[in-house]
Amino acid sequence: MSIFPTLTDKTYVVMGIANKRSIAWAIAKTLDEAGAKLVLTYAAERFKSGLESLAGELKQEAILLECDVTNDEAIEMTFRSIHEEAGEIQGIAHSIAFADKEALRGEFSEMTRGQFAQALDISAYSLTAVVKAAKPYFASDASVITLTYLGGERVVPNYNLMGVAKAALDSSVKYLANEYGPHGVRVNAISAGPIRTLSAKGVGDFNSILSELEQKAPLRRNVSADEVASTGLFLLSGMGSGVTGEVIHVDSGYHIL
Ligand code: NDP
Ligand code: N5H
């Protein structure tokens, strides 16, 4: 008997694929492998063609929809369309964050009010906005995941305002899990170790964070986006049925140090 979950005919929404290195892309491929019907959302028209060619690599045909998470109307429209085109929603992978690059180095308190508000809006509030818009369309045992980072639990140099945004996101996961639990909907976060993606490009001292983890983490190696995606599959499928309000660290154990 295979323990690999079968998600045939179940609809999952994956938000936050920028390119083939994106954690969201690894999640999409894993869900596709399990037979899921996928809806992939992108931030703006200019990202559509790149996503279309990536989606062509999937086994099942995916639905592609634009959704800028700073726009409530756009989010509501996206979820209405998803319901019309694909029925009830079994799960959502929220893999979205943004902060002005200028605020991701130097002194934490040098950021502006505007930079802080934007980072919190896109990286934390958007999870609640998305869950709220999906509420009428959730399956009775739906599951939501988001991606977080250790810098929300403790100080990591240069993570700065993103640390505050991830702390808000982690807390949102708990409040959402408590509110949606009675409806059967689970909400969890995966705290990923550093992975070389477009977001990580050119920010802070990324290379030294990778090598520090390799030297000190219990597993003495970095993690891959595919490893994050397998934990995602566990949480998004029935295998994680008893888990909600949790943050699972997929970071070679670095967070215990
Ligand atoms: P990517 O750059 O691949 O993904 C970030 C995504 O955020 C992009 O697809 C981008 O969309 C999307 N995004 C930004 N602004 C908006 C918006 N207004 N509306 C909709 N989408 C938006 O990087 P990752 O895969 O690394 O990041 C995914 C998640 O993983 C983030 O939450 C990140 O904080 C988290 N994470 C990453 C780690 C890492 O080391 N890489 C470690 C721990 C957590 P677009 O390209 O269309 O603008
Ligand atoms: C401690 C670190 C390294 C320093 C901090 C990095 C923080 C990264 C997160 C944010 C989301 C990156 C970001 O917003 C970059 C943008 O300003 C510029 N990039 C873009 O606009 C590209 C084109 C698009 C696709 O990116 C986004 N986000 O839309 C943390 C690292 C060790 C781990 C890490 C990289 C964590 C994380 O949260 O991503």
Side-chain angles (χ1 to χ4, degrees):
M1 191 189 83
S2 165
I3 58 155
F4 195 74
T6 302
L7 304 177
T8 316
D9 292 331
K10 293 185 190 292
T11 299
Y12 285 86
V13 184
V14 179
M15 314 181 77
I17 303 174
N19 60 25
K20 66 176 185 345
R21 287 175 181 266
S22 295
I23 295 171
W25 176 239
I27 294 171
K29 280 189 297 177
T30 303
L31 290 170
D32 179 62
E33 200 62 43
K37 194 158 62 174
L38 292 183
V39 178
L40 312 178
T41 72
Y42 52 93
E45 184 63 29
R46 65 183 183 281
F47 302 113
K48 190 178 179 183
S49 65
L51 188 56
E52 269 170 352
S53 49
L54 266 187
E57 294 175 21
L58 297 171
K59 288 184 176 161
Q60 277 92 219
E61 198 175 333
I63 297 169
L64 271 54
L65 292 173
E66 185 176 321
C67 184
D68 173 358
V69 298
T70 61
N71 181 338
D72 284 332
E73 269 178 36
I75 298 174
E76 279 159 29
M77 213 169 77
T78 302
F79 280 89
R80 221 177 304 124
S81 308
I82 293 171
H83 178 63
E84 280 162 17
E85 292 189 45
E88 63 178 17
I89 297 168
Q90 190 63 47
I92 302 173
H94 170 281
S95 186
I96 289 172
F98 184 87
D100 186 342
K101 218 169 176 169
E102 294 306 312
L104 294 170
R105 58 170 179 231
E107 314 247 61
F108 168 73
S109 67
E110 286 302 310
M111 68 181 160
T112 65
R113 189 185 293 269
Q115 287 169 331
F116 183 83
Q118 183 190 35
L120 271 282
D121 183 20
I122 299 177
S123 317
Y125 179 73
S126 66
L127 177 70
T128 296
V130 160
V131 167
K132 201 157 62 160
K135 188 177 180 181
Y137 316 122
F138 274 134
S140 56
D141 56 351
S143 171
V144 177
I145 61 166
T146 187
L147 270 299
T148 189
Y149 179 62
L150 189 63
E153 298 172 56
R154 55 170 108 138
V155 173
V156 175
N158 299 315
Y159 204 58
N160 295 1
L161 73 178
M162 273 306 302
V164 181
K166 291 304 191 190
L169 181 71
D170 297 355
S171 185
S172 304
V173 164
K174 293 178 191 158
Y175 278 92
L176 289 169
N178 187 53
E179 182 183 336
Y180 283 73
H183 305 286
V185 178
R186 297 181 292 110
V187 185
N188 292 287
I190 298 175
S191 182
I195 295 170
R196 209 182 289 281
T197 62
L198 189 55
S199 276
K201 211 173 165 186
V203 287
D205 205 358
F206 186 73
N207 286 340
S208 68
I209 293 175
L210 278 177
S211 64
E212 153 121 0
L213 191 139
E214 203 174 312
Q215 282 165 34
K216 295 190 181 157
L219 295 179
R220 301 287 195 281
R221 63 171 178 83
N222 279 292
V223 294
S224 67
D226 288 338
E227 289 179 298
V228 173
S230 337
T231 297
L233 178 64
F234 158 73
L235 288 170
L236 287 168
S237 69
M239 289 178 82
S241 59
V243 184
T244 197
E246 189 63 275
V247 178
I248 300 186
H249 294 79
V250 179
D251 67 347
S252 295
Y254 185 75
H255 70 284
I256 66 171
L257 301 177

